[in-house]
Each structure stands twice: as structure tokens, then as C-alpha cells.
Amino acid sequence: MESESNNKVSNGLDGSTGAESMARRGNTCELILRVVALALTVAAAIVLGVDKQTKVVPIQIAPTLPTVNIAAQAKWHYLSALVYAVVANIIASIYAAISIVIMLGSRKGKSSTRLGQMVGVVDLLMVGLLFSANGAALAIGLMGYKGNSHVRWNKVCNVFDKFCDQVAVSILLSLLAALAFTASVAITLLKFHKRFASKS
């Protein structure tokens, strides 16, 4: 009877081995999400950071004068919302790289609850940062696609189509990175919930 009881404990029927296995799976998923977030934020920053387009635009100064062809440029740093988006993605990518190093280090040693809480809080900050940057970039992007007749802002994406397409791709990549950070926050909260539930 005693040997059977020991076998049950060693086989994890008391739940300890299962909890450790779930924790390992959660850590692996979280690590994958951070790698994905790192790749997406780096890609979003690069796609937007190299975005520029030059087009020859006909301009008529006066009705009696002929049109003049002028080379016009569209660059990402001409718009503060896009500058904010690039900077936000760079910050998020640097943090993602640091958090990956922290996670790999905590696997080798004993993980700290306080460190895990700090990482979870900064994850949440990254979610807010990326969503706010994407919202600003999306607002100015829609202005470029549709214009605004109320303030007489003409649409420009019919001229700078390549530029606007790259902005759209960058926003999509950054939104996916924000979702990856959101999933990481959810996993962190779930881990802490299980940890504190097991103690109570």
C-alpha cells in the first residue's frame, strides 16, 4: 500500500507534476509570443522607416498659366503620427528582446515572482503604446486615403499609392505585435492566478 501511494505521488497524481507541466507549456507559449512580437515590431519599424515615394505632380498656379510639373516627395518623418509609430515599434522591439533574455535567464535559475509581475506590467504598457501609435497612424492614414472635405484636406493616397500601402502594411504588422503582447499578458495573469490559487 505504501509503495502504491509513493507511485501515485511520483506519477504526479497529486497534481504537482501536472501543474509544473502546464507552467512549462505556458512559459514556452509566452516565449514564442515574445519572439513573434519582436519580429513583428522590427518589421513594422523597418517597413515604415524606409517608406518614401517621389511623384511628379502637375500644379496650376493660375488659370491663365500652364500647369507646372513639380516633383513631390512623401516621407514618413513628414507626419508626426508616423514618427510616433516608428518610435513606438522600436521601443516595443527593444523591450521584447530584453524580455526574451529575462525569460531565458529565469529558466536556468529560480524565477522571481516580483520580476514576473514587473514584466507583466511592462507588457501591458507595450500593449497601450502600440495600440495608441497604431491608432494615430491609422487616423492619418485614413485621412490620406479619403481626405476631409470639412477642412479641405485632399486625399493623397491616389497619388502616393506605394507610400500609403507601406503605411498600411506597417500598421497591420504592429497591430499583430500588439495582439501578441496582449496574449502574453493573458498568459502571465493566468499563471499568477494559478499560483495564488494553489497557495490558498
Side-chain angles (χ1 to χ4, degrees):
M1 294 293 291
E2 187 178 350
S3 61
E4 287 180 4
S5 176
N6 290 335
N7 286 335
K8 286 182 179 180
V9 173
S10 62
N11 287 333
L13 295 179
D14 60 342
S16 60
T17 305
E20 289 175 2
S21 177
M22 287 184 65
R24 281 196 297 269
R25 284 199 297 269
N27 289 337
T28 302
C29 289
E30 191 176 353
L31 183 61
I32 292 171
L33 285 170
R34 292 182 188 283
V35 172
V36 169
L38 172 61
L40 289 171
T41 49
V42 169
I46 291 173
V47 168
L48 191 55
V50 300
D51 194 11
K52 63 179 179 179
Q53 187 178 10
T54 303
K55 276 291 189 78
V56 177
V57 181
I59 296 177
Q60 190 171 22
I61 300 173
T64 56
L65 297 175
T67 57
V68 180
N69 292 326
I70 296 177
Q73 277 192 336
K75 293 184 178 180
W76 66 273
H77 57 82
Y78 291 170
L79 297 166
S80 57
L82 300 186
V83 173
Y84 176 40
V86 170
V87 172
N89 279 286
I90 290 172
I91 292 172
S93 63
I94 292 172
Y95 166 71
I98 293 171
S99 66
I100 289 170
V101 173
I102 291 172
M103 281 203 67
L104 292 175
S106 66
R107 280 187 166 190
K108 295 179 181 179
K110 190 177 180 181
S111 59
S112 170
T113 304
R114 183 169 294 181
L115 182 62
Q117 289 173 344
M118 287 177 61
V119 169
V121 169
V122 182
D123 282 347
L124 201 57
L125 290 175
M126 290 302 108
V127 171
L129 177 66
L130 288 176
F131 274 121
S132 65
N134 291 324
L138 189 60
I140 201 69
L142 288 174
M143 191 76 71
Y145 271 109
K146 294 186 176 182
N148 192 323
S149 59
H150 299 289
V151 293
R152 296 184 180 181
W153 287 350
N154 297 326
K155 57 183 179 180
V156 296
C157 287
N158 58 330
V159 178
F160 300 103
D161 51 348
K162 175 180 169 291
F163 177 84
C164 291
D165 289 343
Q166 277 190 234
V167 171
V169 170
S170 176
I171 292 172
L172 177 61
L173 292 171
S174 188
L175 281 172
L176 291 174
L179 292 176
F181 275 117
T182 304
S184 180
V185 170
I187 291 173
T188 302
L189 290 175
L190 187 61
K191 285 195 301 185
F192 280 118
H193 172 72
K194 288 183 177 179
R195 182 177 296 180
F196 291 123
S198 63
K199 289 180 180 179
S200 60

